[in-house]
Amino acid sequence: MRLFIDTANVDEIREISRWGILSGVTTNPSLIAKEGRNFREVVREICEIVDGPISAEVVGMTADEMVPEAEELAKIHDNVIIKVPMTDEGLKAVNILKDKDIKTNVTLIFSANQALLAALAGATYVSPFIGRIDDIGQDGVLVVEDTVQVFAQHGIETEIISASIRHPMHVLEVAKVGSDIATIPYGVLKQMTLHPLTDTGIKRFLEDWETVKNK
Ligand code: E4P
């Protein structure tokens, strides 16, 4: 499973990109708003840091609005992927963008059926939001598992980006059910590096080293 970072903060992206584990970046209008910066400028900067798919979301609600917006965003860099909401207008836009060779990531997916529609319309990626599904008392990982099964059974090449990841267990669970990608917030990536036995192990090695370092 490949890992993307789910943020529009370039400092976070720069730091994690140095770990050598990042394959891409996802942003959304809320993440961009948090940074309070010009959208296109942020996307351009992210493309300079990470060499992989960078999702940038359209805000138009009709296909007629989404398509020109997508064409403008796609001009920023070859790696820009257009995030389109999972609506009937979004499906129309994906279908048009596919014919223009513009890659899409259908976002706000909450069921395997929505993922199937998006894939058939021509989406390059689909993004099930597992944390938000859990929030309403349903099973987000199950939606990913169902989507993996449907895509495998029918030879669908659209890739699954597990999104709305809230904790390290989400990452492990979607990896086990076969998600292609997980897009992970900075804080969860940092949590994934931690284990108390690593800390006590380092402490003990350093204490033991102190006793022999001058011999
Ligand atoms: C994915 O591409 C979205 O940006 C993101 O994962 C949404 O997650 P949230 O539910 O934490 O806002």
Side-chain angles (χ1 to χ4, degrees):
M1 185 172 76
R2 278 130 56 216
L3 303 184
F4 290 5
I5 187 168
D6 193 28
T7 184
N9 181 299
V10 290
D11 294 330
E12 291 179 356
I13 297 169
R14 220 170 256 124
E15 179 186 339
I16 304 296
S17 73
R18 295 175 74 188
W19 294 2
I21 55 102
L22 267 193
S23 299
V25 181
T26 51
T27 67
N28 65 40
S30 305
L31 293 170
I32 296 281
K34 221 165 116 189
E35 300 309 310
R37 297 182 49 198
N38 176 271
F39 176 36
R40 278 157 218 279
E41 201 178 282
V42 173
V43 173
R44 198 166 297 119
E45 211 172 317
I46 295 172
C47 291
E48 280 163 18
I49 304 169
V50 177
D51 184 17
I54 312 297
S55 286
E57 190 157 342
V58 293
V59 289
M61 281 297 113
T62 65
D64 284 348
E65 290 165 346
M66 291 179 204
V67 171
E69 219 186 305
E71 286 175 315
E72 281 309 304
L73 288 172
K75 281 183 201 155
I76 296 177
H77 195 281
D78 284 349
N79 286 344
V80 170
I81 307 294
I82 308 303
K83 238 178 170 187
V84 173
M86 176 55 223
T87 58
D88 50 0
E89 287 296 315
L91 293 178
K92 270 193 235 170
V94 167
N95 186 36
I96 295 166
L97 293 170
K98 173 191 64 185
D99 291 338
K100 292 175 183 281
D101 284 328
I102 293 178
K103 292 183 178 162
T104 52
N105 170 5
V106 176
T107 187
L108 292 164
I109 296 264
F110 295 96
S111 74
N113 273 342
Q114 288 182 320
L116 176 63
L117 289 175
L120 294 177
T124 319
Y125 304 96
V126 289
S127 290
F129 274 35
I130 67 171
R132 294 195 199 185
I133 297 171
D134 289 356
D135 288 345
I136 59 160
Q138 294 175 5
D139 186 346
V141 174
L142 185 61
V143 171
V144 174
E145 190 174 9
D146 284 346
T147 307
V148 167
Q149 190 187 336
V150 170
F151 284 11
Q153 193 150 343
H154 298 283
I156 292 170
E157 285 175 7
T158 300
E159 291 198 290
I160 301 166
I161 305 178
S162 293
S164 187
I165 297 267
R166 299 278 162 76
H167 47 73
M169 281 309 290
H170 269 157
V171 180
L172 178 61
E173 286 166 7
V174 299
K176 280 161 71 178
V177 300
S179 186
D180 299 290
I181 297 152
T183 189
I184 309 174
Y186 172 83
V188 177
L189 284 164
K190 294 286 272 191
Q191 281 178 308
M192 286 169 68
T193 66
L194 303 175
H195 195 287
L197 292 181
T198 306
D199 296 340
T200 52
I202 289 173
K203 190 168 172 281
R204 192 175 314 156
F205 284 152
L206 291 180
E207 283 165 0
D208 290 344
W209 177 247
E210 282 300 313
T211 67
V212 288
K213 72 173 185 191
N214 294 323
K215 296 217 164 133

